[in-house]
Amino acid sequence: MKMDIFIVDAFTDQQFKGNSAAVVPVEDWLSDDLMQNIAAENNLSETAYIKRIGVNQYEIRWFSPLTEIDFCGHATLASAFVLFTEFGVQSQVEFITRKVGSLNIILNAENEIEMIFPNQKPEVVLTAPLQLLNGLSKEPIQVLKNRQAYFAVFGSEQDVLEVTYVSDELKQLAPLDVVVTSTSERYDFISRYFWPANGGDEDPVTGSIHSGLAPYWADSLGKSDLVAYQASKRGGVLKCSVSEEAVVICGKAVLYLKGKVYV
């Protein structure tokens, strides 16, 4: 059996920047083991599988090299990009997920992809887990949590850029990951994302976590439209717009590879 595969750099308009994702369109779901093995072989932060179920409507599932993931933003952007550029889908697509409901994606007039995600604003944690405090080289000024991760808020951009982590400590927080964040001089806020429990060490650009970061910083900064930067080695820019129910996350993508998977 052979299937199409597309490698896309998401949240960037330059190759080798942003976050890479593999997109594999399927007619029927493969076994979970096979999808996991393909994702491990790809060894990208995410492999997305998409299955058409209606007009401009697809089911989507995401696999890291280690496990199936509940929610992934950059691989959703990559999947929409493939549908818009390679499969003739016009302007809008709906993705049906297993854990976070329906995701509506729009190709706007500026040729940017807008993803409408649920608002996943984090809540303050009164007592931070020791594994989190021991797992970061700097102590945050505040810790919050949502269904995806712990949020470690720092007082300066330099703290976020300099902080290091201990994978073995952060793994003990599973199934939650860790995002570190602060305000920024050039952007509204920056972040870095560590996920040794679910996929790897530091993720290049994490769209899904901005459904929690953007609402937090919208409240803190008193504004609903924000520009964020994920300060990984590859880096990526995300435009965010926050309402009470949803977070619109906007970005670009570029195709890196188009080929076949043989299994």
PDB file of all heavy atoms in Angstrom, residues 104-134:
ATOM      1  N   ASN A 104     -12.829  24.881  12.897  1.00  0.00           N
ATOM      2  CA  ASN A 104     -13.067  25.542  11.617  1.00  0.00           C
ATOM      3  C   ASN A 104     -11.826  26.326  11.195  1.00  0.00           C
ATOM      4  O   ASN A 104     -11.276  27.106  11.974  1.00  0.00           O
ATOM      5  CB  ASN A 104     -14.270  26.478  11.711  1.00  0.00           C
ATOM      6  CG  ASN A 104     -15.575  25.708  11.850  1.00  0.00           C
ATOM      7  OD1 ASN A 104     -15.901  24.889  11.005  1.00  0.00           O
ATOM      8  ND2 ASN A 104     -16.300  25.962  12.923  1.00  0.00           N
ATOM      9  N   ILE A 105     -11.407  26.110   9.959  1.00  0.00           N
ATOM     10  CA  ILE A 105     -10.180  26.703   9.440  1.00  0.00           C
ATOM     11  C   ILE A 105     -10.526  27.513   8.189  1.00  0.00           C
ATOM     12  O   ILE A 105     -11.249  27.037   7.307  1.00  0.00           O
ATOM     13  CB  ILE A 105      -9.140  25.625   9.070  1.00  0.00           C
ATOM     14  CG1 ILE A 105      -9.067  24.534  10.154  1.00  0.00           C
ATOM     15  CG2 ILE A 105      -7.798  26.259   8.798  1.00  0.00           C
ATOM     16  CD1 ILE A 105      -8.621  25.002  11.501  1.00  0.00           C
ATOM     17  N   ILE A 106      -9.991  28.733   8.104  1.00  0.00           N
ATOM     18  CA  ILE A 106     -10.312  29.647   7.001  1.00  0.00           C
ATOM     19  C   ILE A 106      -9.028  30.124   6.339  1.00  0.00           C
ATOM     20  O   ILE A 106      -8.051  30.456   7.017  1.00  0.00           O
ATOM     21  CB  ILE A 106     -11.106  30.861   7.535  1.00  0.00           C
ATOM     22  CG1 ILE A 106     -12.444  30.414   8.131  1.00  0.00           C
ATOM     23  CG2 ILE A 106     -11.334  31.901   6.434  1.00  0.00           C
ATOM     24  CD1 ILE A 106     -13.146  31.491   8.941  1.00  0.00           C
ATOM     25  N   LEU A 107      -9.028  30.160   5.016  1.00  0.00           N
ATOM     26  CA  LEU A 107      -7.949  30.797   4.255  1.00  0.00           C
ATOM     27  C   LEU A 107      -8.387  32.226   3.985  1.00  0.00           C
ATOM     28  O   LEU A 107      -9.330  32.472   3.236  1.00  0.00           O
ATOM     29  CB  LEU A 107      -7.695  30.046   2.950  1.00  0.00           C
ATOM     30  CG  LEU A 107      -6.553  30.561   2.068  1.00  0.00           C
ATOM     31  CD1 LEU A 107      -5.211  30.400   2.781  1.00  0.00           C
ATOM     32  CD2 LEU A 107      -6.539  29.842   0.724  1.00  0.00           C
ATOM     33  N   ASN A 108      -7.695  33.201   4.597  1.00  0.00           N
ATOM     34  CA  ASN A 108      -8.166  34.579   4.493  1.00  0.00           C
ATOM     35  C   ASN A 108      -7.621  35.293   3.260  1.00  0.00           C
ATOM     36  O   ASN A 108      -6.857  34.723   2.471  1.00  0.00           O
ATOM     37  CB  ASN A 108      -7.864  35.359   5.783  1.00  0.00           C
ATOM     38  CG  ASN A 108      -6.378  35.598   6.013  1.00  0.00           C
ATOM     39  OD1 ASN A 108      -5.565  35.596   5.088  1.00  0.00           O
ATOM     40  ND2 ASN A 108      -6.015  35.844   7.265  1.00  0.00           N
ATOM     41  N   ALA A 109      -8.005  36.543   3.096  1.00  0.00           N
ATOM     42  CA  ALA A 109      -7.647  37.309   1.905  1.00  0.00           C
ATOM     43  C   ALA A 109      -6.149  37.577   1.809  1.00  0.00           C
ATOM     44  O   ALA A 109      -5.636  37.833   0.718  1.00  0.00           O
ATOM     45  CB  ALA A 109      -8.414  38.636   1.896  1.00  0.00           C
ATOM     46  N   GLU A 110      -5.439  37.506   2.941  1.00  0.00           N
ATOM     47  CA  GLU A 110      -3.985  37.712   2.952  1.00  0.00           C
ATOM     48  C   GLU A 110      -3.226  36.403   2.750  1.00  0.00           C
ATOM     49  O   GLU A 110      -2.014  36.343   2.930  1.00  0.00           O
ATOM     50  CB  GLU A 110      -3.542  38.371   4.269  1.00  0.00           C
ATOM     51  CG  GLU A 110      -3.885  39.842   4.388  1.00  0.00           C
ATOM     52  CD  GLU A 110      -5.383  40.060   4.615  1.00  0.00           C
ATOM     53  OE1 GLU A 110      -5.981  39.295   5.403  1.00  0.00           O
ATOM     54  OE2 GLU A 110      -5.945  40.980   3.982  1.00  0.00           O
ATOM     55  N   ASN A 111      -3.971  35.345   2.390  1.00  0.00           N
ATOM     56  CA  ASN A 111      -3.388  34.021   2.178  1.00  0.00           C
ATOM     57  C   ASN A 111      -2.795  33.453   3.465  1.00  0.00           C
ATOM     58  O   ASN A 111      -1.848  32.663   3.428  1.00  0.00           O
ATOM     59  CB  ASN A 111      -2.333  34.041   1.068  1.00  0.00           C
ATOM     60  CG  ASN A 111      -2.275  32.725   0.308  1.00  0.00           C
ATOM     61  OD1 ASN A 111      -3.292  32.065   0.099  1.00  0.00           O
ATOM     62  ND2 ASN A 111      -1.092  32.333  -0.105  1.00  0.00           N
ATOM     63  N   GLU A 112      -3.356  33.866   4.588  1.00  0.00           N
ATOM     64  CA  GLU A 112      -3.005  33.302   5.880  1.00  0.00           C
ATOM     65  C   GLU A 112      -4.086  32.333   6.309  1.00  0.00           C
ATOM     66  O   GLU A 112      -5.254  32.467   5.927  1.00  0.00           O
ATOM     67  CB  GLU A 112      -2.861  34.404   6.930  1.00  0.00           C
ATOM     68  CG  GLU A 112      -1.763  35.408   6.629  1.00  0.00           C
ATOM     69  CD  GLU A 112      -1.790  36.574   7.584  1.00  0.00           C
ATOM     70  OE1 GLU A 112      -2.910  36.992   7.982  1.00  0.00           O
ATOM     71  OE2 GLU A 112      -0.718  37.079   7.933  1.00  0.00           O
ATOM     72  N   ILE A 113      -3.712  31.358   7.096  1.00  0.00           N
ATOM     73  CA  ILE A 113      -4.656  30.341   7.554  1.00  0.00           C
ATOM     74  C   ILE A 113      -5.092  30.687   8.973  1.00  0.00           C
ATOM     75  O   ILE A 113      -4.264  30.797   9.888  1.00  0.00           O
ATOM     76  CB  ILE A 113      -4.025  28.944   7.491  1.00  0.00           C
ATOM     77  CG1 ILE A 113      -3.744  28.576   6.023  1.00  0.00           C
ATOM     78  CG2 ILE A 113      -4.941  27.903   8.136  1.00  0.00           C
ATOM     79  CD1 ILE A 113      -2.969  27.289   5.837  1.00  0.00           C
ATOM     80  N   GLU A 114      -6.401  30.901   9.147  1.00  0.00           N
ATOM     81  CA  GLU A 114      -6.977  31.219  10.449  1.00  0.00           C
ATOM     82  C   GLU A 114      -7.620  29.969  11.034  1.00  0.00           C
ATOM     83  O   GLU A 114      -8.492  29.358  10.410  1.00  0.00           O
ATOM     84  CB  GLU A 114      -8.032  32.323  10.319  1.00  0.00           C
ATOM     85  CG  GLU A 114      -7.494  33.654   9.829  1.00  0.00           C
ATOM     86  CD  GLU A 114      -8.569  34.717   9.735  1.00  0.00           C
ATOM     87  OE1 GLU A 114      -9.730  34.422  10.122  1.00  0.00           O
ATOM     88  OE2 GLU A 114      -8.261  35.843   9.288  1.00  0.00           O
ATOM     89  N   MET A 115      -7.198  29.608  12.233  1.00  0.00           N
ATOM     90  CA  MET A 115      -7.739  28.425  12.904  1.00  0.00           C
ATOM     91  C   MET A 115      -8.554  28.868  14.114  1.00  0.00           C
ATOM     92  O   MET A 115      -8.046  29.596  14.979  1.00  0.00           O
ATOM     93  CB  MET A 115      -6.593  27.510  13.341  1.00  0.00           C
ATOM     94  CG  MET A 115      -5.703  27.068  12.190  1.00  0.00           C
ATOM     95  SD  MET A 115      -4.382  25.943  12.716  1.00  0.00           S
ATOM     96  CE  MET A 115      -3.353  27.081  13.671  1.00  0.00           C
ATOM     97  N   ILE A 116      -9.793  28.454  14.168  1.00  0.00           N
ATOM     98  CA  ILE A 116     -10.679  28.832  15.263  1.00  0.00           C
ATOM     99  C   ILE A 116     -10.655  27.699  16.294  1.00  0.00           C
ATOM    100  O   ILE A 116     -11.204  26.620  16.075  1.00  0.00           O
ATOM    101  CB  ILE A 116     -12.103  29.094  14.751  1.00  0.00           C
ATOM    102  CG1 ILE A 116     -12.075  30.168  13.651  1.00  0.00           C
ATOM    103  CG2 ILE A 116     -13.007  29.536  15.905  1.00  0.00           C
ATOM    104  CD1 ILE A 116     -13.398  30.366  12.938  1.00  0.00           C
ATOM    105  N   PHE A 117      -9.979  27.964  17.406  1.00  0.00           N
ATOM    106  CA  PHE A 117      -9.777  26.969  18.450  1.00  0.00           C
ATOM    107  C   PHE A 117     -10.619  27.321  19.675  1.00  0.00           C
ATOM    108  O   PHE A 117     -10.947  28.489  19.900  1.00  0.00           O
ATOM    109  CB  PHE A 117      -8.307  26.932  18.865  1.00  0.00           C
ATOM    110  CG  PHE A 117      -7.386  26.291  17.852  1.00  0.00           C
ATOM    111  CD1 PHE A 117      -6.018  26.449  17.970  1.00  0.00           C
ATOM    112  CD2 PHE A 117      -7.873  25.534  16.794  1.00  0.00           C
ATOM    113  CE1 PHE A 117      -5.150  25.860  17.059  1.00  0.00           C
ATOM    114  CE2 PHE A 117      -7.019  24.947  15.870  1.00  0.00           C
ATOM    115  CZ  PHE A 117      -5.643  25.111  16.017  1.00  0.00           C
ATOM    116  N   PRO A 118     -10.948  26.317  20.499  1.00  0.00           N
ATOM    117  CA  PRO A 118     -11.631  26.634  21.764  1.00  0.00           C
ATOM    118  C   PRO A 118     -10.726  27.439  22.686  1.00  0.00           C
ATOM    119  O   PRO A 118      -9.501  27.285  22.672  1.00  0.00           O
ATOM    120  CB  PRO A 118     -11.927  25.239  22.347  1.00  0.00           C
ATOM    121  CG  PRO A 118     -10.936  24.328  21.701  1.00  0.00           C
ATOM    122  CD  PRO A 118     -10.715  24.875  20.324  1.00  0.00           C
ATOM    123  N   ASN A 119     -11.352  28.327  23.463  1.00  0.00           N
ATOM    124  CA  ASN A 119     -10.617  29.098  24.454  1.00  0.00           C
ATOM    125  C   ASN A 119     -10.266  28.155  25.611  1.00  0.00           C
ATOM    126  O   ASN A 119     -11.144  27.633  26.293  1.00  0.00           O
ATOM    127  CB  ASN A 119     -11.476  30.258  24.946  1.00  0.00           C
ATOM    128  CG  ASN A 119     -10.741  31.167  25.922  1.00  0.00           C
ATOM    129  OD1 ASN A 119     -10.004  30.726  26.785  1.00  0.00           O
ATOM    130  ND2 ASN A 119     -10.963  32.468  25.785  1.00  0.00           N
ATOM    131  N   GLN A 120      -8.963  27.931  25.820  1.00  0.00           N
ATOM    132  CA  GLN A 120      -8.500  27.020  26.868  1.00  0.00           C
ATOM    133  C   GLN A 120      -7.652  27.786  27.894  1.00  0.00           C
ATOM    134  O   GLN A 120      -6.527  27.410  28.196  1.00  0.00           O
ATOM    135  CB  GLN A 120      -7.714  25.857  26.264  1.00  0.00           C
ATOM    136  CG  GLN A 120      -8.560  25.012  25.315  1.00  0.00           C
ATOM    137  CD  GLN A 120      -7.935  23.683  24.968  1.00  0.00           C
ATOM    138  OE1 GLN A 120      -8.467  22.625  25.286  1.00  0.00           O
ATOM    139  NE2 GLN A 120      -6.802  23.716  24.299  1.00  0.00           N
ATOM    140  N   LYS A 121      -8.246  28.864  28.374  1.00  0.00           N
ATOM    141  CA  LYS A 121      -7.551  29.727  29.342  1.00  0.00           C
ATOM    142  C   LYS A 121      -7.148  28.918  30.572  1.00  0.00           C
ATOM    143  O   LYS A 121      -7.955  28.184  31.145  1.00  0.00           O
ATOM    144  CB  LYS A 121      -8.469  30.877  29.741  1.00  0.00           C
ATOM    145  CG  LYS A 121      -7.832  31.853  30.716  1.00  0.00           C
ATOM    146  CD  LYS A 121      -8.818  32.948  31.096  1.00  0.00           C
ATOM    147  CE  LYS A 121      -8.219  33.893  32.133  1.00  0.00           C
ATOM    148  NZ  LYS A 121      -9.183  34.947  32.533  1.00  0.00           N
ATOM    149  N   PRO A 122      -5.894  29.057  31.010  1.00  0.00           N
ATOM    150  CA  PRO A 122      -5.437  28.309  32.191  1.00  0.00           C
ATOM    151  C   PRO A 122      -5.915  28.947  33.481  1.00  0.00           C
ATOM    152  O   PRO A 122      -6.266  30.128  33.528  1.00  0.00           O
ATOM    153  CB  PRO A 122      -3.918  28.369  32.063  1.00  0.00           C
ATOM    154  CG  PRO A 122      -3.668  29.680  31.379  1.00  0.00           C
ATOM    155  CD  PRO A 122      -4.816  29.856  30.407  1.00  0.00           C
ATOM    156  N   GLU A 123      -5.886  28.143  34.550  1.00  0.00           N
ATOM    157  CA  GLU A 123      -6.249  28.623  35.877  1.00  0.00           C
ATOM    158  C   GLU A 123      -5.035  28.583  36.791  1.00  0.00           C
ATOM    159  O   GLU A 123      -4.148  27.733  36.643  1.00  0.00           O
ATOM    160  CB  GLU A 123      -7.380  27.765  36.460  1.00  0.00           C
ATOM    161  CG  GLU A 123      -8.676  27.856  35.650  1.00  0.00           C
ATOM    162  CD  GLU A 123      -9.797  27.039  36.271  1.00  0.00           C
ATOM    163  OE1 GLU A 123      -9.520  26.287  37.241  1.00  0.00           O
ATOM    164  OE2 GLU A 123     -10.946  27.163  35.803  1.00  0.00           O
ATOM    165  N   VAL A 124      -5.005  29.484  37.746  1.00  0.00           N
ATOM    166  CA  VAL A 124      -3.865  29.592  38.663  1.00  0.00           C
ATOM    167  C   VAL A 124      -3.756  28.330  39.514  1.00  0.00           C
ATOM    168  O   VAL A 124      -4.752  27.792  40.004  1.00  0.00           O
ATOM    169  CB  VAL A 124      -4.011  30.828  39.555  1.00  0.00           C
ATOM    170  CG1 VAL A 124      -2.927  30.848  40.643  1.00  0.00           C
ATOM    171  CG2 VAL A 124      -3.951  32.103  38.720  1.00  0.00           C
ATOM    172  N   VAL A 125      -2.526  27.853  39.662  1.00  0.00           N
ATOM    173  CA  VAL A 125      -2.216  26.729  40.547  1.00  0.00           C
ATOM    174  C   VAL A 125      -1.657  27.309  41.842  1.00  0.00           C
ATOM    175  O   VAL A 125      -0.649  28.019  41.826  1.00  0.00           O
ATOM    176  CB  VAL A 125      -1.182  25.792  39.897  1.00  0.00           C
ATOM    177  CG1 VAL A 125      -0.742  24.700  40.875  1.00  0.00           C
ATOM    178  CG2 VAL A 125      -1.753  25.170  38.631  1.00  0.00           C
ATOM    179  N   LEU A 126      -2.297  27.019  42.967  1.00  0.00           N
ATOM    180  CA  LEU A 126      -1.864  27.603  44.235  1.00  0.00           C
ATOM    181  C   LEU A 126      -0.549  26.992  44.716  1.00  0.00           C
ATOM    182  O   LEU A 126       0.289  27.687  45.285  1.00  0.00           O
ATOM    183  CB  LEU A 126      -2.961  27.422  45.293  1.00  0.00           C
ATOM    184  CG  LEU A 126      -4.282  28.150  44.997  1.00  0.00           C
ATOM    185  CD1 LEU A 126      -5.294  27.894  46.106  1.00  0.00           C
ATOM    186  CD2 LEU A 126      -4.047  29.649  44.818  1.00  0.00           C
ATOM    187  N   THR A 127      -0.382  25.692  44.495  1.00  0.00           N
ATOM    188  CA  THR A 127       0.852  25.017  44.892  1.00  0.00           C
ATOM    189  C   THR A 127       1.432  24.320  43.669  1.00  0.00           C
ATOM    190  O   THR A 127       0.865  23.337  43.182  1.00  0.00           O
ATOM    191  CB  THR A 127       0.601  23.988  46.013  1.00  0.00           C
ATOM    192  OG1 THR A 127      -0.010  24.642  47.131  1.00  0.00           O
ATOM    193  CG2 THR A 127       1.916  23.345  46.453  1.00  0.00           C
ATOM    194  N   ALA A 128       2.541  24.826  43.173  1.00  0.00           N
ATOM    195  CA  ALA A 128       3.161  24.249  41.977  1.00  0.00           C
ATOM    196  C   ALA A 128       3.787  22.902  42.317  1.00  0.00           C
ATOM    197  O   ALA A 128       4.374  22.726  43.390  1.00  0.00           O
ATOM    198  CB  ALA A 128       4.226  25.190  41.426  1.00  0.00           C
ATOM    199  N   PRO A 129       3.673  21.910  41.418  1.00  0.00           N
ATOM    200  CA  PRO A 129       4.295  20.606  41.668  1.00  0.00           C
ATOM    201  C   PRO A 129       5.813  20.729  41.799  1.00  0.00           C
ATOM    202  O   PRO A 129       6.448  21.524  41.100  1.00  0.00           O
ATOM    203  CB  PRO A 129       3.924  19.795  40.417  1.00  0.00           C
ATOM    204  CG  PRO A 129       2.795  20.528  39.776  1.00  0.00           C
ATOM    205  CD  PRO A 129       2.956  21.970  40.136  1.00  0.00           C
ATOM    206  N   LEU A 130       6.388  19.953  42.685  1.00  0.00           N
ATOM    207  CA  LEU A 130       7.833  19.963  42.868  1.00  0.00           C
ATOM    208  C   LEU A 130       8.561  19.564  41.596  1.00  0.00           C
ATOM    209  O   LEU A 130       9.640  20.076  41.299  1.00  0.00           O
ATOM    210  CB  LEU A 130       8.227  19.028  44.018  1.00  0.00           C
ATOM    211  CG  LEU A 130       7.942  19.532  45.435  1.00  0.00           C
ATOM    212  CD1 LEU A 130       8.315  18.466  46.456  1.00  0.00           C
ATOM    213  CD2 LEU A 130       8.684  20.830  45.700  1.00  0.00           C
ATOM    214  N   GLN A 131       7.954  18.650  40.829  1.00  0.00           N
ATOM    215  CA  GLN A 131       8.598  18.214  39.583  1.00  0.00           C
ATOM    216  C   GLN A 131       8.740  19.377  38.604  1.00  0.00           C
ATOM    217  O   GLN A 131       9.698  19.423  37.837  1.00  0.00           O
ATOM    218  CB  GLN A 131       7.802  17.080  38.937  1.00  0.00           C
ATOM    219  CG  GLN A 131       7.728  15.813  39.757  1.00  0.00           C
ATOM    220  CD  GLN A 131       6.501  15.771  40.641  1.00  0.00           C
ATOM    221  OE1 GLN A 131       5.967  16.818  41.042  1.00  0.00           O
ATOM    222  NE2 GLN A 131       6.034  14.571  40.944  1.00  0.00           N
ATOM    223  N   LEU A 132       7.784  20.291  38.631  1.00  0.00           N
ATOM    224  CA  LEU A 132       7.869  21.468  37.769  1.00  0.00           C
ATOM    225  C   LEU A 132       8.973  22.409  38.251  1.00  0.00           C
ATOM    226  O   LEU A 132       9.811  22.861  37.460  1.00  0.00           O
ATOM    227  CB  LEU A 132       6.526  22.198  37.742  1.00  0.00           C
ATOM    228  CG  LEU A 132       6.493  23.540  36.992  1.00  0.00           C
ATOM    229  CD1 LEU A 132       6.781  23.336  35.520  1.00  0.00           C
ATOM    230  CD2 LEU A 132       5.165  24.252  37.187  1.00  0.00           C
ATOM    231  N   LEU A 133       8.994  22.685  39.547  1.00  0.00           N
ATOM    232  CA  LEU A 133       9.989  23.595  40.099  1.00  0.00           C
ATOM    233  C   LEU A 133      11.397  23.006  39.987  1.00  0.00           C
ATOM    234  O   LEU A 133      12.357  23.717  39.678  1.00  0.00           O
ATOM    235  CB  LEU A 133       9.653  23.907  41.549  1.00  0.00           C
ATOM    236  CG  LEU A 133       8.294  24.587  41.790  1.00  0.00           C
ATOM    237  CD1 LEU A 133       8.061  24.820  43.269  1.00  0.00           C
ATOM    238  CD2 LEU A 133       8.194  25.897  41.018  1.00  0.00           C
ATOM    239  N   ASN A 134      11.508  21.696  40.217  1.00  0.00           N
ATOM    240  CA  ASN A 134      12.817  21.046  40.097  1.00  0.00           C
ATOM    241  C   ASN A 134      13.235  20.881  38.643  1.00  0.00           C
ATOM    242  O   ASN A 134      14.428  20.749  38.347  1.00  0.00           O
ATOM    243  CB  ASN A 134      12.795  19.679  40.775  1.00  0.00           C
ATOM    244  CG  ASN A 134      12.644  19.769  42.273  1.00  0.00           C
ATOM    245  OD1 ASN A 134      12.994  20.794  42.875  1.00  0.00           O
ATOM    246  ND2 ASN A 134      12.134  18.724  42.894  1.00  0.00           N
TER     247      ASN A 134
END
